[in-house]
Amino acid sequence: MLRRREPVPFAFVAEADRFRSNVTPPPRERASAGEMAGRWLIGLTIVAGLVGSLVLGMPALSQDQAPAQNQQSQASQGH
């Protein structure tokens, strides 16, 4: 079924662009001390996890300057 589109007067469209409500929203409630502490703990846990992963991952990412070629097993030394 086809919908019939009715023309909208231009004055209505122009008025709708600058319409402002005179109803103000209620003020936001402030977070309690427990909620703020929880947010800080979550943030601190995330930062600590990222720093820990960097600390543990950096040795694996570093390139050795000169690999030790003079290491020999005990079997090759005849022991």
Side-chain angles (χ1 to χ4, degrees):
M1 184 170 175
L2 296 173
R3 291 186 346 183
R4 193 178 101 202
R5 301 187 79 186
E6 296 183 14
V8 177
F10 179 78
F12 174 76
V13 174
E15 186 178 319
D17 286 341
R18 57 187 147 92
F19 174 75
R20 301 234 170 127
S21 174
N22 60 354
V23 178
T24 58
R28 295 180 66 184
E29 293 184 20
R30 300 190 89 185
S32 67
E35 289 175 342
M36 290 298 290
R39 290 177 188 170
W40 272 99
L41 278 175
I42 289 174
L44 189 64
T45 303
I46 291 172
V47 169
L50 291 172
V51 169
S53 65
L54 278 174
V55 167
L56 294 175
M58 288 304 284
L61 294 174
S62 66
Q63 296 178 354
D64 292 336
Q65 298 296 332
Q69 297 291 332
N70 56 2
Q71 292 181 350
Q72 296 178 352
S73 66
Q74 291 180 355
S76 65
Q77 293 175 357
H79 288 104

